[in-house]
Amino acid sequence: MNNKKLSMGAHTIAAALAFGHSAVLAQENTDVCNDKTSAECAAPSDDAIELIRIHGVQQSIYRYDKSGDPRHLADLVDTPQTITVLTQDQIQESGRTDLEDILQAQAGVTLGTGENGNAFGDRYIIRGHEARSDVFVDGLRDPGMTTRESFATERVEITKGPSSTFAGRGSSGGAVNSITKKASTAYNFGRVDAAIGTDEHNRFTVDLNKTLTETSAVRLNGLYSSEDKPGREGIERDREGVQLSYVNQPTDRLSFTGDIYYLNAEDKPDLGSYYDRDAGYPLKDIPVYAQDEDFLNSEVTTFTLRTEYDISDNLRFYNATRVGKTENEYITTGMRGTNRDATDPIAPGAYTLSLSTHQGWQDVEYVTSQFNLFWDTAFLGLDHRLVFGFEYTDESVDNGVFSVENNNPTNCLVGGRRGVSSSYCILDAEGNAVDNIGALMGRTFTRGNVDAQYDIETYSWYVMDTLALTEKLDMFFGLRADSYDYTNATSGRSGEQLFAFEDDLYNGHLGLVYSLSEHGNLYASYSTATNINGGESDLGANCGYGGLCGTPEQAAQADPEQVENIEIGTKWSLFNEKLVANAAIFRITKSDVHESVGDSYSTLGTLNTGENRVEGIEFGLSGDITDKFSIQASAAFMDSEVLKSYNDSNLGLALSNFADESFYIQMRYQPNEKFAFGGDYSYQSEMFGGQPDTAAGFNTDTNEYSIVVPDYDVVNLFANYYYSDALTFRVNVGNLFDKEYWTAAYRSGSFMYIGDGRNITGTLSYEF
């Protein structure tokens, strides 16, 4: 595509934006030219429309028509799958910045917890299935358990249901794809956002696109932010990031786009509360107990090069290659309710809260390259839009632990699995919080050796076809083969072991879309996915967490977990195609599930003995109801059930970390050119703690689930004031009613993440 300069029509649109008109009015102005042939009325380039859709402060966009993955050739409304798109404007107005917070609010998505190296604070579950390794950036897998920020993100796409044709291994319940900001030769643009708020909130971002010549441009995105976790003073979040993008279009048919991305996140983490089994509820109103030495550091560096070449009018080539490195490390403090031992010299038998240490580190180096050939052709009397693809990935992961020393004297004696031990308690003999909790333990630490070296090299081939069978019936068809070579050298409870095996995975996707009218369709879709034994790179041989099951010999003989999805849905374009509505019913069946025998640390896997099912219905709305009223909403009503298990007591139980009902709505109303306001509401029904992708923990004595995350709802508000064409002020109020709520639970209930308390921020946006 030739994007060397803005056409006159695009200049008209950009000018309308600069003088404060809405994007809708600008688009209507362009429509006037549709029947004219003069140069002044030339159609605007895609980049010019991007300028309106993405960068307009005066009018926010809550709907996007196309996927950022170029392999999705049909418009989203004609794609036979549920795909939720969160636009940059919507994300910014919501006040959320980390990808974890953005996804947490969405229907059909929940969070999980981690321990000792596995996905601390960065674990997503889509439609009941693990997705922490199914995060992509611009269609390329983004490995590593890191903190992910939105400062360089144009939109986030959440694909629901298995999508291995696009994603490869994994993606049992879906995948997340972030679309990054890229340099463009179509315009010069600058924007600065500066925010301050409660809880020592400070955030500064810059977005600058500058054309160098008619055929080249650069774009700079920068970030600095710092804050305390709202409601938990002393729990800190610090971010520094930069992305530099460069585009060069030497000819009308050839373009190169490269970017360098860097993010450094330094947090003091919080494991939150714990589940009080006697009360049947998480402990409330706990003091901040993180130690002064606690940290969660995440560093990401990537380089990406994209090449696009139009070989002919109907044949196009696209390659994206990325080299990356991520580092994630943490030492954090846990807390549990217990009683002082009878031998405790201060308060024998008294109830107290004792502290524990959780820690680990992970280094990831990877390279991935994806080649696509797009061919529009006709044969057998039908027009086909074909995609032929090849993808190569190589991921190398080192997991390890720290050697930690607690140098301060202990202050209590408590019981445990290993008998009576000295510990650190944050309650004194009278049950009051002790002074200077953060200095109780006095930790020092050194980085220890690697205890699991994971490597997986994968070669993938795929073909996809989008075609019209009749005037009313379209079809999408895809097949993919992944050939992988896996090794994992582990040490720990079972000693040193080398796991090594290879296999081939085959997956497919078939979708039909039937046009009911000019504005609506009905679709049906069948798709598959596969998970390999030990596919989660952060776990070593801890089978109970989703890691390797069995001995090296057993692991090599294990079949991949198989996932099948059937989905029937409908999508409608309403209100002059400004609003899209969708609804779908689905059933996901996962068979040959790997299960562990005994406790969660067992390395003896039963292998391929489990089967579970998730079924439900999901609704969505996105776009403009009127020129003044925008909406983004989704709702999911689901049911999960264990169908087979080596343990008969698991049959019929719900999956862990699974919410039957979830709902999200964000609305925006702009009564005039100077003012806009809105907010969002999210609800999530109760969940039950347990091991990943397996039955939730259940107490057969009480006939109740062991660990319960209570249901919750959260209300957030925002208001925009457009002071001038270039200057906008926004106020966000998060958790308006200051509710205490919990977002996820560890399998034993020993920690439960706490949601943010009420917070207020003010943001100044300046365009130039």
Side-chain angles (χ1 to χ4, degrees):
M1 182 178 296
N2 182 11
N3 295 323
K4 287 186 176 181
K5 61 179 69 177
L6 282 172
S7 66
M8 291 299 294
H11 276 301
T12 302
I13 295 174
L17 175 64
F19 284 97
H21 294 290
S22 72
V24 173
L25 292 177
Q27 186 63 58
E28 289 174 352
N29 181 55
T30 305
D31 292 341
V32 174
C33 294
N34 285 344
D35 296 329
K36 299 183 180 181
T37 58
S38 65
E40 288 77 13
C41 287
S45 69
D46 287 350
D47 279 338
I49 295 175
E50 286 292 294
L51 177 61
I52 298 169
R53 295 184 63 90
I54 300 302
H55 307 301
V57 171
Q58 305 294 319
Q59 170 69 30
S60 295
I61 302 300
Y62 278 33
R63 179 178 67 86
Y64 211 84
D65 297 325
K66 299 282 292 184
S67 169
D69 188 329
R71 296 171 297 178
H72 281 289
L73 298 178
D75 288 348
L76 291 174
V77 72
D78 295 319
T79 299
Q81 193 169 17
T82 300
I83 300 179
T84 301
V85 178
L86 310 176
T87 66
Q88 180 189 176
D89 293 329
Q90 179 198 347
I91 293 170
Q92 289 177 340
E93 289 184 336
S94 74
R96 298 179 177 90
T97 55
D98 281 1
L99 182 61
E100 177 187 278
D101 297 328
I102 295 167
L103 295 179
Q104 172 193 324
Q106 303 304 310
V109 181
T110 58
L111 299 183
T113 65
E115 182 193 36
N116 293 341
N118 62 314
F120 180 82
D122 190 5
R123 183 174 155 209
Y124 317 115
I125 299 166
I126 302 176
R127 286 185 175 176
H129 294 86
E130 284 282 350
R132 69 180 183 265
S133 294
D134 301 321
V135 180
F136 296 78
V137 175
D138 294 327
L140 298 177
R141 190 182 296 273
D142 185 39
M145 307 307 157
T146 65
T147 298
R148 295 178 172 93
E149 240 278 348
S150 63
F151 78 98
T153 301
E154 283 191 348
R155 58 192 181 276
V156 175
E157 300 178 1
I158 308 170
T159 301
K160 304 293 182 62
S163 53
S164 284
T165 305
F166 291 88
R169 72 180 191 277
S171 67
S172 298
V176 178
N177 187 26
S178 293
I179 311 303
T180 59
K181 300 175 180 179
K182 302 175 183 65
S184 172
T185 59
Y187 51 81
N188 291 314
F189 173 81
R191 174 169 169 174
V192 173
D193 290 71
I196 59 173
T198 58
D199 307 288
E200 300 187 15
H201 177 90
N202 295 278
R203 183 178 176 87
F204 178 84
T205 62
V206 60
D207 185 355
L208 176 64
N209 190 92
K210 176 66 176 176
T211 58
L212 302 177
T213 67
E214 286 190 347
T215 61
S216 64
V218 294
R219 185 168 184 175
L220 173 68
N221 291 98
L223 163 73
Y224 169 80
S225 70
S226 177
E227 67 172 354
D228 283 348
K229 178 180 174 67
R232 303 284 288 170
E233 183 179 356
I235 301 301
E236 301 168 354
R237 304 164 176 162
D238 296 310
R239 309 277 189 272
E240 295 178 347
V242 63
Q243 177 173 279
L244 182 64
S245 176
Y246 172 76
V247 62
N248 186 15
Q249 299 167 309
T251 72
D252 291 349
R253 293 182 176 272
L254 178 64
S255 70
F256 301 96
T257 304
D259 62 61
I260 299 173
Y261 175 88
Y262 174 80
L263 177 70
N264 182 43
E266 297 182 352
D267 298 354
K268 177 174 284 188
D270 183 19
L271 286 181
S273 184
Y274 78 96
Y275 190 75
D276 188 335
R277 293 175 184 260
D278 293 331
Y281 205 80
L283 186 67
K284 294 183 175 181
D285 302 321
I286 58 173
V288 174
Y289 54 85
Q291 297 300 286
D292 295 340
E293 302 82 14
D294 285 4
F295 64 89
L296 168 60
N297 297 335
S298 181
E299 189 172 20
V300 181
T301 306
T302 66
F303 172 75
T304 307
L305 176 64
R306 305 169 189 85
T307 303
E308 299 179 66
Y309 180 58
D310 292 344
I311 301 171
S312 66
D313 291 342
N314 63 346
L315 192 63
R316 306 179 306 281
F317 170 81
Y318 173 80
N319 169 255
T321 299
R322 179 174 297 136
V323 178
K325 181 178 182 180
T326 69
E327 298 178 6
N328 188 47
E329 58 183 15
Y330 65 88
I331 296 177
T332 188
T333 303
M335 179 202 66
R336 69 183 180 100
T338 187
N339 291 91
R340 292 175 183 254
D341 190 72
T343 60
D344 184 88
I346 300 176
Y351 173 78
T352 190
L353 300 173
S354 66
L355 303 183
S356 58
T357 299
H358 305 264
Q359 47 86 14
W361 59 265
Q362 180 187 85
D363 292 344
V364 182
E365 294 184 356
Y366 67 98
V367 58
T368 179
S369 188
Q370 182 186 108
F371 299 83
N372 293 300
L373 187 66
F374 300 88
W375 185 26
D376 301 336
T377 187
F379 61 89
L380 299 178
L382 298 173
D383 292 330
H384 298 259
R385 288 183 290 172
L386 290 159
V387 181
F388 298 96
F390 169 76
E391 187 170 334
Y392 169 79
T393 62
D394 187 12
E395 303 171 28
S396 297
V397 185
D398 288 349
N399 294 291
V401 294
F402 289 93
S403 176
V404 180
E405 295 289 338
N406 298 321
N407 299 307
N408 290 344
T410 58
N411 64 354
C412 61
L413 294 175
V414 298
R417 288 183 298 177
R418 297 178 177 85
V420 179
S421 61
S422 298
S423 187
Y424 298 90
C425 295
I426 65 173
L427 300 183
D428 61 19
E430 287 74 37
N432 300 316
V434 302
D435 294 332
N436 200 14
I437 292 177
L440 269 185
M441 304 177 84
R443 290 192 181 108
T444 57
F445 56 89
T446 56
R447 187 161 174 155
N449 295 326
V450 174
D451 60 16
Q453 289 183 300
Y454 169 105
D455 187 87
I456 184 167
E457 188 176 29
T458 308
Y459 298 87
S460 307
W461 298 263
Y462 53 85
V463 59
M464 306 177 194
D465 191 7
T466 303
L467 68 154
L469 297 176
T470 69
E471 289 186 359
K472 289 184 173 293
L473 183 63
D474 293 342
M475 183 177 78
F476 169 80
F477 175 77
L479 285 175
R480 180 174 179 129
D482 295 275
S483 179
Y484 70 86
D485 188 351
Y486 175 100
T487 61
N488 203 339
T490 69
S491 60
R493 291 175 173 84
S494 57
E496 296 186 359
Q497 298 186 95
L498 176 62
F499 296 80
F501 47 88
E502 58 187 31
D503 202 354
D504 299 315
L505 311 176
Y506 301 96
N507 289 286
H509 192 163
L510 175 65
L512 297 172
V513 182
Y514 182 77
S515 178
L516 297 173
S517 72
E518 182 182 355
H519 304 293
N521 61 49
L522 180 69
Y523 72 86
S525 177
Y526 173 81
S527 57
T528 68
T530 50
N531 302 315
I532 69 172
N533 190 12
E536 302 297 346
S537 65
D538 51 325
L539 298 172
N542 286 337
C543 177
Y545 296 102
L548 285 159
C549 285
T551 65
E553 292 75 22
Q554 289 175 308
Q557 296 172 9
D559 293 327
E561 297 177 328
Q562 303 292 329
V563 185
E564 292 183 321
N565 177 62
I566 299 174
E567 180 170 319
I568 300 173
T570 184
K571 297 183 181 182
W572 291 82
S573 294
L574 307 172
F575 302 112
N576 197 24
E577 298 187 350
K578 294 177 182 178
L579 181 75
V580 172
N582 63 276
I585 57 174
F586 63 89
R587 171 179 284 186
I588 301 175
T589 304
K590 185 175 183 180
S591 58
D592 290 329
V593 175
H594 301 137
E595 296 184 287
S596 64
V597 176
D599 62 35
S600 295
Y601 299 97
S602 175
T603 59
L604 177 59
T606 61
L607 301 177
N608 303 126
T609 53
E611 182 175 332
N612 56 56
R613 181 177 65 208
V614 175
E615 55 189 7
I617 184 169
E618 190 162 347
F619 303 92
L621 281 174
S622 61
D624 300 331
I625 295 178
T626 69
D627 288 347
K628 296 181 178 181
F629 183 35
S630 302
I631 187 171
Q632 168 77 248
S634 58
F637 304 91
M638 303 183 292
D639 180 71
S640 65
E641 182 181 0
V642 174
L643 303 178
K644 295 180 181 179
S645 175
Y646 81 95
N647 185 351
D648 289 341
S649 64
N650 289 333
L651 300 181
L653 296 182
L655 293 178
S656 62
N657 309 301
F658 178 86
D660 289 345
E661 301 175 4
S662 53
F663 179 76
Y664 178 78
I665 184 170
Q666 183 171 330
M667 296 183 291
R668 180 186 193 275
Y669 184 70
Q670 185 168 350
N672 54 56
E673 292 184 358
K674 287 292 186 180
F675 185 63
F677 63 91
D680 65 77
Y681 170 83
S682 59
Y683 168 79
Q684 187 167 283
S685 62
E686 67 179 8
M687 301 188 301
F688 309 116
Q691 298 176 19
D693 279 347
T694 56
F698 194 77
N699 189 330
T700 55
D701 294 332
T702 62
N703 203 33
E704 294 178 341
Y705 287 99
S706 304
I707 309 298
V708 180
V709 181
D711 64 332
Y712 67 86
D713 57 354
V714 180
V715 176
N716 307 299
L717 299 177
F718 70 86
N720 297 338
Y721 174 65
Y722 306 114
Y723 177 79
S724 67
D725 296 338
L727 191 62
T728 299
F729 298 94
R730 186 178 76 246
V731 175
N732 286 88
V733 181
N735 194 354
L736 176 66
F737 300 108
D738 200 22
K739 291 189 175 182
E740 185 174 17
Y741 65 99
W742 299 269
T743 61
Y746 180 57
R747 49 173 289 276
S748 67
S750 58
F751 50 84
M752 300 181 70
Y753 295 156
I754 300 175
D756 286 356
R758 181 165 52 216
N759 57 93
I760 302 173
T761 60
T763 304
L764 180 150
S765 299
Y766 178 70
E767 285 191 355
F768 55 93

